[in-house]
Amino acid sequence: KFAEEKGVKIEALVGDARNFEVIGKQDAIIASCLFHYFSRAEDLELIERMKANTKEGGLNTLYVITKEGDFYKENPETDNFYPKPGEIKEYYKDWEILEFTSENRPAHKKRPDGSPMMNLSEGWELKIRDGTYKDLDKFPIDDRKRLLK
């Protein structure tokens, strides 16, 4: 509804990220709390597919749980991808970072004593350099965050 009020058309595509085929280049691709379910190799391939399928001037928005949290510390031998804090930036060296957040957040999962597990999470909004993304550029950054939730 928010996008509609602003005159922006949104088409959401949903599927299994490991084998989801994107048809054509997209204005924005969002991966939120996804990477810790897959292996490093699967996630690095996913990042490359996200980048390759983003229009010039388009956005990739990622929200990741890092190694600095209880989920990883509970099982440090896991093959699942928990990037080091700041690691995502390495995969987007040629992209402009529009916004970065880092916060220690409670998870829905609880410890045996009933207290929430805590995870250091990072949010990234990245834009292909030297491009203009006309629709989202209409909005201040706080409105973009609401639009992309």
Side-chain angles (χ1 to χ4, degrees), residues 99-119:
E99 183 172 359
F100 169 74
T101 60
S102 179
E103 56 190 338
N104 203 22
R105 296 188 52 135
H108 295 289
K109 187 175 179 182
K110 306 283 186 203
R111 294 184 179 108
D113 68 3
S115 64
M117 297 183 83
M118 300 296 288
N119 288 303

mmCIF file of all heavy atoms in Angstrom, residues 99-119:
data_model
loop_
_atom_site.group_PDB
_atom_site.id
_atom_site.type_symbol
_atom_site.label_atom_id
_atom_site.label_comp_id
_atom_site.label_asym_id
_atom_site.label_seq_id
_atom_site.Cartn_x
_atom_site.Cartn_y
_atom_site.Cartn_z
ATOM 1 N N GLU A 99 23.459 2.301 2.920
ATOM 2 C CA GLU A 99 23.195 2.240 4.351
ATOM 3 C C GLU A 99 23.781 0.957 4.920
ATOM 4 O O GLU A 99 23.767 -0.090 4.269
ATOM 5 C CB GLU A 99 21.690 2.280 4.638
ATOM 6 C CG GLU A 99 21.398 2.297 6.118
ATOM 7 C CD GLU A 99 19.947 2.531 6.448
ATOM 8 O OE1 GLU A 99 19.133 2.696 5.537
ATOM 9 O OE2 GLU A 99 19.638 2.546 7.639
ATOM 10 N N PHE A 100 24.286 1.047 6.137
ATOM 11 C CA PHE A 100 24.809 -0.103 6.863
ATOM 12 C C PHE A 100 24.357 0.011 8.311
ATOM 13 O O PHE A 100 24.464 1.081 8.914
ATOM 14 C CB PHE A 100 26.340 -0.145 6.795
ATOM 15 C CG PHE A 100 26.933 -1.141 7.744
ATOM 16 C CD1 PHE A 100 26.860 -2.495 7.476
ATOM 17 C CD2 PHE A 100 27.536 -0.729 8.917
ATOM 18 C CE1 PHE A 100 27.389 -3.425 8.360
ATOM 19 C CE2 PHE A 100 28.067 -1.643 9.806
ATOM 20 C CZ PHE A 100 27.997 -2.992 9.530
ATOM 21 N N THR A 101 23.821 -1.068 8.851
ATOM 22 C CA THR A 101 23.475 -1.101 10.266
ATOM 23 C C THR A 101 24.079 -2.351 10.882
ATOM 24 O O THR A 101 24.232 -3.379 10.217
ATOM 25 C CB THR A 101 21.942 -1.132 10.496
ATOM 26 O OG1 THR A 101 21.404 -2.299 9.869
ATOM 27 C CG2 THR A 101 21.267 0.100 9.946
ATOM 28 N N SER A 102 24.431 -2.246 12.143
ATOM 29 C CA SER A 102 24.954 -3.385 12.887
ATOM 30 C C SER A 102 24.362 -3.299 14.281
ATOM 31 O O SER A 102 24.480 -2.266 14.943
ATOM 32 C CB SER A 102 26.481 -3.316 12.938
ATOM 33 O OG SER A 102 26.992 -4.402 13.685
ATOM 34 N N GLU A 103 23.710 -4.371 14.697
ATOM 35 C CA GLU A 103 23.079 -4.330 16.012
ATOM 36 C C GLU A 103 22.992 -5.720 16.609
ATOM 37 O O GLU A 103 22.836 -6.706 15.894
ATOM 38 C CB GLU A 103 21.691 -3.699 15.924
ATOM 39 C CG GLU A 103 20.763 -4.364 14.937
ATOM 40 C CD GLU A 103 19.480 -3.583 14.700
ATOM 41 O OE1 GLU A 103 19.102 -2.775 15.563
ATOM 42 O OE2 GLU A 103 18.872 -3.793 13.651
ATOM 43 N N ASN A 104 23.112 -5.764 17.920
ATOM 44 C CA ASN A 104 22.940 -7.004 18.656
ATOM 45 C C ASN A 104 21.450 -7.136 18.945
ATOM 46 O O ASN A 104 20.882 -6.301 19.636
ATOM 47 C CB ASN A 104 23.756 -6.964 19.949
ATOM 48 C CG ASN A 104 24.077 -8.336 20.471
ATOM 49 O OD1 ASN A 104 24.073 -9.302 19.719
ATOM 50 N ND2 ASN A 104 24.352 -8.430 21.750
ATOM 51 N N ARG A 105 20.829 -8.176 18.382
ATOM 52 C CA ARG A 105 19.374 -8.306 18.469
ATOM 53 C C ARG A 105 18.984 -9.637 19.089
ATOM 54 O O ARG A 105 19.623 -10.653 18.843
ATOM 55 C CB ARG A 105 18.767 -8.227 17.079
ATOM 56 C CG ARG A 105 18.987 -6.890 16.410
ATOM 57 C CD ARG A 105 18.212 -6.824 15.156
ATOM 58 N NE ARG A 105 16.834 -7.173 15.429
ATOM 59 C CZ ARG A 105 15.790 -6.515 14.971
ATOM 60 N NH1 ARG A 105 15.968 -5.489 14.201
ATOM 61 N NH2 ARG A 105 14.570 -6.894 15.247
ATOM 62 N N PRO A 106 17.882 -9.634 19.828
ATOM 63 C CA PRO A 106 17.385 -10.907 20.367
ATOM 64 C C PRO A 106 16.735 -11.736 19.260
ATOM 65 O O PRO A 106 16.081 -11.198 18.374
ATOM 66 C CB PRO A 106 16.350 -10.477 21.404
ATOM 67 C CG PRO A 106 15.914 -9.116 20.975
ATOM 68 C CD PRO A 106 17.082 -8.494 20.269
ATOM 69 N N ALA A 107 16.945 -13.034 19.339
ATOM 70 C CA ALA A 107 16.327 -13.965 18.391
ATOM 71 C C ALA A 107 15.030 -14.496 18.991
ATOM 72 O O ALA A 107 14.788 -14.359 20.187
ATOM 73 C CB ALA A 107 17.285 -15.117 18.115
ATOM 74 N N HIS A 108 14.221 -15.101 18.146
ATOM 75 C CA HIS A 108 13.006 -15.746 18.646
ATOM 76 C C HIS A 108 13.357 -17.008 19.443
ATOM 77 O O HIS A 108 12.648 -17.387 20.360
ATOM 78 C CB HIS A 108 12.062 -16.101 17.496
ATOM 79 C CG HIS A 108 11.532 -14.905 16.784
ATOM 80 N ND1 HIS A 108 10.617 -14.052 17.353
ATOM 81 C CD2 HIS A 108 11.801 -14.405 15.554
ATOM 82 C CE1 HIS A 108 10.338 -13.082 16.512
ATOM 83 N NE2 HIS A 108 11.043 -13.270 15.409
ATOM 84 N N LYS A 109 14.470 -17.632 19.075
ATOM 85 C CA LYS A 109 14.915 -18.843 19.762
ATOM 86 C C LYS A 109 15.394 -18.490 21.168
ATOM 87 O O LYS A 109 16.074 -17.484 21.364
ATOM 88 C CB LYS A 109 16.042 -19.496 18.947
ATOM 89 C CG LYS A 109 16.471 -20.842 19.457
ATOM 90 C CD LYS A 109 17.498 -21.464 18.515
ATOM 91 C CE LYS A 109 17.962 -22.800 19.028
ATOM 92 N NZ LYS A 109 18.988 -23.378 18.159
ATOM 93 N N LYS A 110 15.067 -19.342 22.105
ATOM 94 C CA LYS A 110 15.403 -19.086 23.511
ATOM 95 C C LYS A 110 16.508 -20.020 24.002
ATOM 96 O O LYS A 110 16.665 -21.133 23.502
ATOM 97 C CB LYS A 110 14.172 -19.285 24.404
ATOM 98 C CG LYS A 110 12.951 -18.493 23.992
ATOM 99 C CD LYS A 110 13.071 -17.066 24.382
ATOM 100 C CE LYS A 110 11.760 -16.333 24.070
ATOM 101 N NZ LYS A 110 11.922 -14.943 23.917
ATOM 102 N N ARG A 111 17.227 -19.550 25.013
ATOM 103 C CA ARG A 111 18.197 -20.383 25.727
ATOM 104 C C ARG A 111 17.425 -21.291 26.690
ATOM 105 O O ARG A 111 16.249 -21.048 26.960
ATOM 106 C CB ARG A 111 19.158 -19.489 26.520
ATOM 107 C CG ARG A 111 20.038 -18.623 25.654
ATOM 108 C CD ARG A 111 21.031 -17.860 26.560
ATOM 109 N NE ARG A 111 21.909 -17.035 25.766
ATOM 110 C CZ ARG A 111 21.840 -15.704 25.710
ATOM 111 N NH1 ARG A 111 20.957 -15.049 26.434
ATOM 112 N NH2 ARG A 111 22.675 -15.033 24.960
ATOM 113 N N PRO A 112 18.089 -22.315 27.242
ATOM 114 C CA PRO A 112 17.402 -23.198 28.198
ATOM 115 C C PRO A 112 16.781 -22.456 29.389
ATOM 116 O O PRO A 112 15.749 -22.869 29.914
ATOM 117 C CB PRO A 112 18.504 -24.151 28.666
ATOM 118 C CG PRO A 112 19.463 -24.193 27.523
ATOM 119 C CD PRO A 112 19.439 -22.802 26.934
ATOM 120 N N ASP A 113 17.378 -21.322 29.781
ATOM 121 C CA ASP A 113 16.831 -20.561 30.917
ATOM 122 C C ASP A 113 15.658 -19.656 30.509
ATOM 123 O O ASP A 113 15.092 -18.947 31.332
ATOM 124 C CB ASP A 113 17.911 -19.740 31.605
ATOM 125 C CG ASP A 113 18.447 -18.590 30.752
ATOM 126 O OD1 ASP A 113 17.940 -18.369 29.625
ATOM 127 O OD2 ASP A 113 19.383 -17.906 31.211
ATOM 128 N N GLY A 114 15.279 -19.675 29.215
ATOM 129 C CA GLY A 114 14.156 -18.883 28.741
ATOM 130 C C GLY A 114 14.516 -17.515 28.190
ATOM 131 O O GLY A 114 13.690 -16.840 27.591
ATOM 132 N N SER A 115 15.752 -17.091 28.390
ATOM 133 C CA SER A 115 16.173 -15.797 27.845
ATOM 134 C C SER A 115 16.439 -15.928 26.344
ATOM 135 O O SER A 115 16.771 -17.012 25.861
ATOM 136 C CB SER A 115 17.417 -15.285 28.576
ATOM 137 O OG SER A 115 18.517 -16.153 28.348
ATOM 138 N N PRO A 116 16.282 -14.851 25.601
ATOM 139 C CA PRO A 116 16.479 -14.943 24.140
ATOM 140 C C PRO A 116 17.956 -15.098 23.781
ATOM 141 O O PRO A 116 18.837 -14.561 24.449
ATOM 142 C CB PRO A 116 15.937 -13.621 23.617
ATOM 143 C CG PRO A 116 16.054 -12.678 24.761
ATOM 144 C CD PRO A 116 15.892 -13.502 26.005
ATOM 145 N N MET A 117 18.203 -15.856 22.734
ATOM 146 C CA MET A 117 19.547 -15.903 22.162
ATOM 147 C C MET A 117 19.780 -14.553 21.497
ATOM 148 O O MET A 117 18.838 -13.913 21.023
ATOM 149 C CB MET A 117 19.672 -17.044 21.166
ATOM 150 C CG MET A 117 19.488 -18.416 21.803
ATOM 151 S SD MET A 117 19.722 -19.756 20.634
ATOM 152 C CE MET A 117 21.501 -19.894 20.655
ATOM 153 N N MET A 118 21.007 -14.106 21.466
ATOM 154 C CA MET A 118 21.345 -12.818 20.872
ATOM 155 C C MET A 118 22.255 -13.033 19.666
ATOM 156 O O MET A 118 23.113 -13.914 19.670
ATOM 157 C CB MET A 118 22.056 -11.927 21.897
ATOM 158 C CG MET A 118 21.230 -11.623 23.138
ATOM 159 S SD MET A 118 19.736 -10.677 22.811
ATOM 160 C CE MET A 118 20.427 -9.085 22.430
ATOM 161 N N ASN A 119 22.055 -12.211 18.642
ATOM 162 C CA ASN A 119 22.873 -12.296 17.432
ATOM 163 C C ASN A 119 23.264 -10.908 16.968
ATOM 164 O O ASN A 119 22.439 -9.997 16.970
ATOM 165 C CB ASN A 119 22.111 -12.993 16.306
ATOM 166 C CG ASN A 119 21.958 -14.464 16.551
ATOM 167 O OD1 ASN A 119 22.937 -15.166 16.717
ATOM 168 N ND2 ASN A 119 20.728 -14.938 16.599
#
